[in-house]
Amino acid sequence: MEQTAAAPLEVYFDLAEKVRDATGITVTACYQCRKCTNGCPLTFAMDYYPDQIVRLLLLGREEEVLHSATIWVCSSCETCTTRCPNDIDIAGLMDHLKSEAHRRGIVRPKGNPTYAFHKVFLDDIARRGRVFESGLLNRYLLKSGEWKAKLETGTLWGDLRLGWALFSRRRLPLFPHGVMNKQEIRSLIEEEPGAAETEGDENT
Ligand code: SF4
Ligand code: SF4
């Protein structure tokens, strides 16, 4: 039987340029050494490894990337970014992809803790220009559903003891503090359309 040759894989420069324009990250610099993936602590829970996410972007398969679980599994620990010999900020790329998926209304895994943290963190920055740790922790626990799980397993008391220890050492403020140029920071955040949509978000 006559065999037909597979079509050669080609770099989809339009998408690579779009990513670079939005983030300053040059995915075309990747030469697939996989150092990012080999250092990532969360590959066991990913459907695509970090180097594969970069590869898929280079091949123009944006929809596949935006629907992947990987972008919501990534905890932004930056190990991959530190290890990349070509200075590709893969953690920053994952953050951008989270925002892009959210902007397009692509459904996240329900109750996803990374998504919950992403939301409450950006909401806090948009509101005050900086994070209020005590409030962020409470909202994260409620939004992610961890509050209930911790109550059921009894691990909440350990968290409360740690919170008290931090508070008594003045490491956890009781009241929020804003910054001078809140409006400037808010306008930067509002360019990320997902950031301000806390109410009525059906995916958490
Ligand atoms: S470490 Fe950098 S160059 Fe190597 S595969 Fe990952 S993104 Fe590509
Ligand atoms: S930032 Fe995300 S992709 Fe990179 S090593 Fe950490 S968890 Fe893995």
Side-chain angles (χ1 to χ4, degrees), residues 78-90:
E78 299 198 349
T79 305
C80 51
T81 299
T82 310
R83 288 172 62 92
C84 179
N86 291 323
D87 292 331
I88 300 172
D89 180 7
I90 303 136

mmCIF file with all atom_site columns, all heavy atoms in Angstrom, residues 78-90:
data_model
loop_
_atom_site.group_PDB
_atom_site.id
_atom_site.type_symbol
_atom_site.label_atom_id
_atom_site.label_alt_id
_atom_site.label_comp_id
_atom_site.label_asym_id
_atom_site.label_entity_id
_atom_site.label_seq_id
_atom_site.pdbx_PDB_ins_code
_atom_site.Cartn_x
_atom_site.Cartn_y
_atom_site.Cartn_z
_atom_site.occupancy
_atom_site.B_iso_or_equiv
_atom_site.pdbx_formal_charge
_atom_site.auth_seq_id
_atom_site.auth_comp_id
_atom_site.auth_asym_id
_atom_site.auth_atom_id
_atom_site.pdbx_PDB_model_num
ATOM 1   N N   . GLU A 1 78 ? 7.485  29.148 39.560 1.00 0.00 ? 78 GLU A N   1
ATOM 2   C CA  . GLU A 1 78 ? 8.589  29.729 38.780 1.00 0.00 ? 78 GLU A CA  1
ATOM 3   C C   . GLU A 1 78 ? 9.829  28.841 38.654 1.00 0.00 ? 78 GLU A C   1
ATOM 4   O O   . GLU A 1 78 ? 10.870 29.298 38.199 1.00 0.00 ? 78 GLU A O   1
ATOM 5   C CB  . GLU A 1 78 ? 8.972  31.113 39.306 1.00 0.00 ? 78 GLU A CB  1
ATOM 6   C CG  . GLU A 1 78 ? 7.809  32.083 39.221 1.00 0.00 ? 78 GLU A CG  1
ATOM 7   C CD  . GLU A 1 78 ? 8.217  33.535 39.308 1.00 0.00 ? 78 GLU A CD  1
ATOM 8   O OE1 . GLU A 1 78 ? 9.383  33.793 39.643 1.00 0.00 ? 78 GLU A OE1 1
ATOM 9   O OE2 . GLU A 1 78 ? 7.359  34.393 39.034 1.00 0.00 ? 78 GLU A OE2 1
ATOM 10  N N   . THR A 1 79 ? 9.723  27.578 39.062 1.00 0.00 ? 79 THR A N   1
ATOM 11  C CA  . THR A 1 79 ? 10.879 26.676 38.901 1.00 0.00 ? 79 THR A CA  1
ATOM 12  C C   . THR A 1 79 ? 11.260 26.585 37.421 1.00 0.00 ? 79 THR A C   1
ATOM 13  O O   . THR A 1 79 ? 12.437 26.648 37.065 1.00 0.00 ? 79 THR A O   1
ATOM 14  C CB  . THR A 1 79 ? 10.533 25.268 39.432 1.00 0.00 ? 79 THR A CB  1
ATOM 15  O OG1 . THR A 1 79 ? 10.085 25.403 40.770 1.00 0.00 ? 79 THR A OG1 1
ATOM 16  C CG2 . THR A 1 79 ? 11.721 24.335 39.373 1.00 0.00 ? 79 THR A CG2 1
ATOM 17  N N   . CYS A 1 80 ? 10.249 26.438 36.571 1.00 0.00 ? 80 CYS A N   1
ATOM 18  C CA  . CYS A 1 80 ? 10.500 26.295 35.126 1.00 0.00 ? 80 CYS A CA  1
ATOM 19  C C   . CYS A 1 80 ? 11.196 27.545 34.563 1.00 0.00 ? 80 CYS A C   1
ATOM 20  O O   . CYS A 1 80 ? 12.149 27.433 33.785 1.00 0.00 ? 80 CYS A O   1
ATOM 21  C CB  . CYS A 1 80 ? 9.187  26.043 34.397 1.00 0.00 ? 80 CYS A CB  1
ATOM 22  S SG  . CYS A 1 80 ? 7.906  27.226 34.816 1.00 0.00 ? 80 CYS A SG  1
ATOM 23  N N   . THR A 1 81 ? 10.717 28.701 34.989 1.00 0.00 ? 81 THR A N   1
ATOM 24  C CA  . THR A 1 81 ? 11.289 29.968 34.510 1.00 0.00 ? 81 THR A CA  1
ATOM 25  C C   . THR A 1 81 ? 12.761 30.062 34.894 1.00 0.00 ? 81 THR A C   1
ATOM 26  O O   . THR A 1 81 ? 13.609 30.458 34.093 1.00 0.00 ? 81 THR A O   1
ATOM 27  C CB  . THR A 1 81 ? 10.499 31.152 35.113 1.00 0.00 ? 81 THR A CB  1
ATOM 28  O OG1 . THR A 1 81 ? 9.146  31.041 34.684 1.00 0.00 ? 81 THR A OG1 1
ATOM 29  C CG2 . THR A 1 81 ? 11.064 32.488 34.675 1.00 0.00 ? 81 THR A CG2 1
ATOM 30  N N   . THR A 1 82 ? 13.061 29.651 36.121 1.00 0.00 ? 82 THR A N   1
ATOM 31  C CA  . THR A 1 82 ? 14.440 29.708 36.612 1.00 0.00 ? 82 THR A CA  1
ATOM 32  C C   . THR A 1 82 ? 15.335 28.736 35.850 1.00 0.00 ? 82 THR A C   1
ATOM 33  O O   . THR A 1 82 ? 16.501 29.026 35.584 1.00 0.00 ? 82 THR A O   1
ATOM 34  C CB  . THR A 1 82 ? 14.474 29.340 38.121 1.00 0.00 ? 82 THR A CB  1
ATOM 35  O OG1 . THR A 1 82 ? 13.490 30.114 38.776 1.00 0.00 ? 82 THR A OG1 1
ATOM 36  C CG2 . THR A 1 82 ? 15.821 29.585 38.731 1.00 0.00 ? 82 THR A CG2 1
ATOM 37  N N   . ARG A 1 83 ? 14.783 27.591 35.475 1.00 0.00 ? 83 ARG A N   1
ATOM 38  C CA  . ARG A 1 83 ? 15.595 26.550 34.817 1.00 0.00 ? 83 ARG A CA  1
ATOM 39  C C   . ARG A 1 83 ? 15.783 26.752 33.320 1.00 0.00 ? 83 ARG A C   1
ATOM 40  O O   . ARG A 1 83 ? 16.704 26.185 32.728 1.00 0.00 ? 83 ARG A O   1
ATOM 41  C CB  . ARG A 1 83 ? 14.950 25.173 35.041 1.00 0.00 ? 83 ARG A CB  1
ATOM 42  C CG  . ARG A 1 83 ? 15.082 24.655 36.458 1.00 0.00 ? 83 ARG A CG  1
ATOM 43  C CD  . ARG A 1 83 ? 14.267 23.393 36.653 1.00 0.00 ? 83 ARG A CD  1
ATOM 44  N NE  . ARG A 1 83 ? 14.703 22.300 35.814 1.00 0.00 ? 83 ARG A NE  1
ATOM 45  C CZ  . ARG A 1 83 ? 15.581 21.381 36.157 1.00 0.00 ? 83 ARG A CZ  1
ATOM 46  N NH1 . ARG A 1 83 ? 16.134 21.438 37.345 1.00 0.00 ? 83 ARG A NH1 1
ATOM 47  N NH2 . ARG A 1 83 ? 15.913 20.420 35.336 1.00 0.00 ? 83 ARG A NH2 1
ATOM 48  N N   . CYS A 1 84 ? 14.914 27.549 32.696 1.00 0.00 ? 84 CYS A N   1
ATOM 49  C CA  . CYS A 1 84 ? 14.971 27.648 31.233 1.00 0.00 ? 84 CYS A CA  1
ATOM 50  C C   . CYS A 1 84 ? 16.267 28.312 30.762 1.00 0.00 ? 84 CYS A C   1
ATOM 51  O O   . CYS A 1 84 ? 16.570 29.439 31.128 1.00 0.00 ? 84 CYS A O   1
ATOM 52  C CB  . CYS A 1 84 ? 13.772 28.450 30.710 1.00 0.00 ? 84 CYS A CB  1
ATOM 53  S SG  . CYS A 1 84 ? 13.825 28.631 28.907 1.00 0.00 ? 84 CYS A SG  1
ATOM 54  N N   . PRO A 1 85 ? 17.053 27.635 29.935 1.00 0.00 ? 85 PRO A N   1
ATOM 55  C CA  . PRO A 1 85 ? 18.322 28.207 29.463 1.00 0.00 ? 85 PRO A CA  1
ATOM 56  C C   . PRO A 1 85 ? 18.118 29.366 28.493 1.00 0.00 ? 85 PRO A C   1
ATOM 57  O O   . PRO A 1 85 ? 19.063 30.097 28.189 1.00 0.00 ? 85 PRO A O   1
ATOM 58  C CB  . PRO A 1 85 ? 19.001 27.025 28.764 1.00 0.00 ? 85 PRO A CB  1
ATOM 59  C CG  . PRO A 1 85 ? 17.892 26.123 28.372 1.00 0.00 ? 85 PRO A CG  1
ATOM 60  C CD  . PRO A 1 85 ? 16.825 26.281 29.399 1.00 0.00 ? 85 PRO A CD  1
ATOM 61  N N   . ASN A 1 86 ? 16.895 29.523 27.999 1.00 0.00 ? 86 ASN A N   1
ATOM 62  C CA  . ASN A 1 86 ? 16.616 30.595 27.038 1.00 0.00 ? 86 ASN A CA  1
ATOM 63  C C   . ASN A 1 86 ? 15.797 31.735 27.637 1.00 0.00 ? 86 ASN A C   1
ATOM 64  O O   . ASN A 1 86 ? 15.230 32.546 26.898 1.00 0.00 ? 86 ASN A O   1
ATOM 65  C CB  . ASN A 1 86 ? 15.883 30.011 25.817 1.00 0.00 ? 86 ASN A CB  1
ATOM 66  C CG  . ASN A 1 86 ? 16.803 29.119 25.025 1.00 0.00 ? 86 ASN A CG  1
ATOM 67  O OD1 . ASN A 1 86 ? 17.992 29.401 24.905 1.00 0.00 ? 86 ASN A OD1 1
ATOM 68  N ND2 . ASN A 1 86 ? 16.283 28.016 24.510 1.00 0.00 ? 86 ASN A ND2 1
ATOM 69  N N   . ASP A 1 87 ? 15.757 31.761 28.980 1.00 0.00 ? 87 ASP A N   1
ATOM 70  C CA  . ASP A 1 87 ? 15.061 32.841 29.704 1.00 0.00 ? 87 ASP A CA  1
ATOM 71  C C   . ASP A 1 87 ? 13.602 33.006 29.291 1.00 0.00 ? 87 ASP A C   1
ATOM 72  O O   . ASP A 1 87 ? 13.094 34.131 29.233 1.00 0.00 ? 87 ASP A O   1
ATOM 73  C CB  . ASP A 1 87 ? 15.799 34.190 29.508 1.00 0.00 ? 87 ASP A CB  1
ATOM 74  C CG  . ASP A 1 87 ? 17.143 34.191 30.200 1.00 0.00 ? 87 ASP A CG  1
ATOM 75  O OD1 . ASP A 1 87 ? 17.276 33.491 31.218 1.00 0.00 ? 87 ASP A OD1 1
ATOM 76  O OD2 . ASP A 1 87 ? 18.055 34.880 29.706 1.00 0.00 ? 87 ASP A OD2 1
ATOM 77  N N   . ILE A 1 88 ? 12.961 31.901 28.989 1.00 0.00 ? 88 ILE A N   1
ATOM 78  C CA  . ILE A 1 88 ? 11.528 31.986 28.679 1.00 0.00 ? 88 ILE A CA  1
ATOM 79  C C   . ILE A 1 88 ? 10.765 31.933 30.008 1.00 0.00 ? 88 ILE A C   1
ATOM 80  O O   . ILE A 1 88 ? 10.940 30.992 30.794 1.00 0.00 ? 88 ILE A O   1
ATOM 81  C CB  . ILE A 1 88 ? 11.086 30.825 27.756 1.00 0.00 ? 88 ILE A CB  1
ATOM 82  C CG1 . ILE A 1 88 ? 11.878 30.889 26.446 1.00 0.00 ? 88 ILE A CG1 1
ATOM 83  C CG2 . ILE A 1 88 ? 9.590  30.890 27.479 1.00 0.00 ? 88 ILE A CG2 1
ATOM 84  C CD1 . ILE A 1 88 ? 11.677 29.684 25.536 1.00 0.00 ? 88 ILE A CD1 1
ATOM 85  N N   . ASP A 1 89 ? 9.957  32.929 30.256 1.00 0.00 ? 89 ASP A N   1
ATOM 86  C CA  . ASP A 1 89 ? 9.198  33.005 31.511 1.00 0.00 ? 89 ASP A CA  1
ATOM 87  C C   . ASP A 1 89 ? 7.949  32.128 31.384 1.00 0.00 ? 89 ASP A C   1
ATOM 88  O O   . ASP A 1 89 ? 6.848  32.617 31.111 1.00 0.00 ? 89 ASP A O   1
ATOM 89  C CB  . ASP A 1 89 ? 8.832  34.464 31.802 1.00 0.00 ? 89 ASP A CB  1
ATOM 90  C CG  . ASP A 1 89 ? 8.037  34.605 33.091 1.00 0.00 ? 89 ASP A CG  1
ATOM 91  O OD1 . ASP A 1 89 ? 7.890  33.606 33.816 1.00 0.00 ? 89 ASP A OD1 1
ATOM 92  O OD2 . ASP A 1 89 ? 7.555  35.722 33.354 1.00 0.00 ? 89 ASP A OD2 1
ATOM 93  N N   . ILE A 1 90 ? 8.129  30.844 31.615 1.00 0.00 ? 90 ILE A N   1
ATOM 94  C CA  . ILE A 1 90 ? 7.014  29.900 31.424 1.00 0.00 ? 90 ILE A CA  1
ATOM 95  C C   . ILE A 1 90 ? 5.930  30.125 32.478 1.00 0.00 ? 90 ILE A C   1
ATOM 96  O O   . ILE A 1 90 ? 4.738  30.029 32.177 1.00 0.00 ? 90 ILE A O   1
ATOM 97  C CB  . ILE A 1 90 ? 7.523  28.444 31.460 1.00 0.00 ? 90 ILE A CB  1
ATOM 98  C CG1 . ILE A 1 90 ? 8.596  28.275 30.391 1.00 0.00 ? 90 ILE A CG1 1
ATOM 99  C CG2 . ILE A 1 90 ? 6.413  27.440 31.194 1.00 0.00 ? 90 ILE A CG2 1
ATOM 100 C CD1 . ILE A 1 90 ? 9.796  27.530 30.829 1.00 0.00 ? 90 ILE A CD1 1
#
